[in-house]
Amino acid sequence: PSKALSPRQVIKIQLHALQRNDMTDSGIITVFNFSSPTSRVSLGPLNHFRMMVRDPAYSPMLNFVSYKTGKMVITDDTAYQLVVIKGAGGEQVPYLFILAKQRKGMYKGCWMTVGVARQDINRQTSLI
């Protein structure tokens, strides 16, 4: 994380890392490193996060084929970005990335992920 990165850049870095995840889970580690300190408390240690990403709700994000982004919405210190991932099996899976600009600590001023929520593909959203 860096103060120089915009919310859009933070999401792009994480998506590229997940798309190129390898046997050492370097992509998952990158995403974990961009998780806000508050999120890391609820996510647990890295090994727990590794298992969580492999859950069926999030596994399409690993080594996906391509992605499309919707409109980014930024309100004060929070950013929302809808991302539709095309998985290795051809499925289209939407996720909502939620970022917050950190207000204190060693990451003060950095945009970091506070959540990624899988969305219902059939639900209409104003973020597309």
Side-chain angles (χ1 to χ4, degrees):
S2 164
K3 292 177 192 173
L5 296 172
S6 70
R8 192 175 309 280
Q9 290 170 311
V10 168
I11 292 169
K12 187 175 181 179
I13 288 167
Q14 292 179 83
L15 287 169
H16 285 201
L18 288 167
Q19 189 174 29
R20 293 171 177 82
N21 192 57
D22 57 23
M23 297 297 287
T24 65
D25 282 341
S26 63
I28 294 173
I29 292 166
T30 297
V31 172
F32 185 80
N33 289 338
F34 274 96
S35 297
S36 73
T38 306
S39 295
R40 289 184 198 181
V41 170
S42 61
L43 292 171
L46 176 59
N47 284 336
H48 182 263
F49 183 68
R50 283 173 145 151
M51 289 188 307
M52 198 176 80
V53 175
R54 287 183 168 79
D55 181 88
Y58 293 97
S59 61
M61 297 182 94
L62 291 175
N63 306 109
F64 63 87
V65 176
S66 61
Y67 71 92
K68 296 182 290 193
T69 57
K71 182 178 145 194
M72 178 171 279
V73 176
I74 300 174
T75 56
D76 298 321
D77 289 344
T78 308
Y80 303 89
Q81 173 78 66
L82 186 70
V83 176
V84 179
I85 286 177
K86 182 177 181 182
E91 70 277 21
Q92 303 264 344
V93 186
Y95 294 94
L96 181 64
F97 279 73
I98 306 164
L99 277 62
K101 187 182 267 189
Q102 302 304 295
R103 296 177 182 221
K104 60 184 178 185
M106 66 185 284
Y107 296 112
K108 184 177 179 179
C110 296
W111 286 97
M112 299 183 84
T113 304
V114 294
V116 176
R118 184 170 172 157
Q119 303 295 291
D120 182 349
I121 191 77
N122 298 316
R123 197 174 114 225
Q124 291 297 320
T125 175
S126 62
L127 296 177
I128 296 177

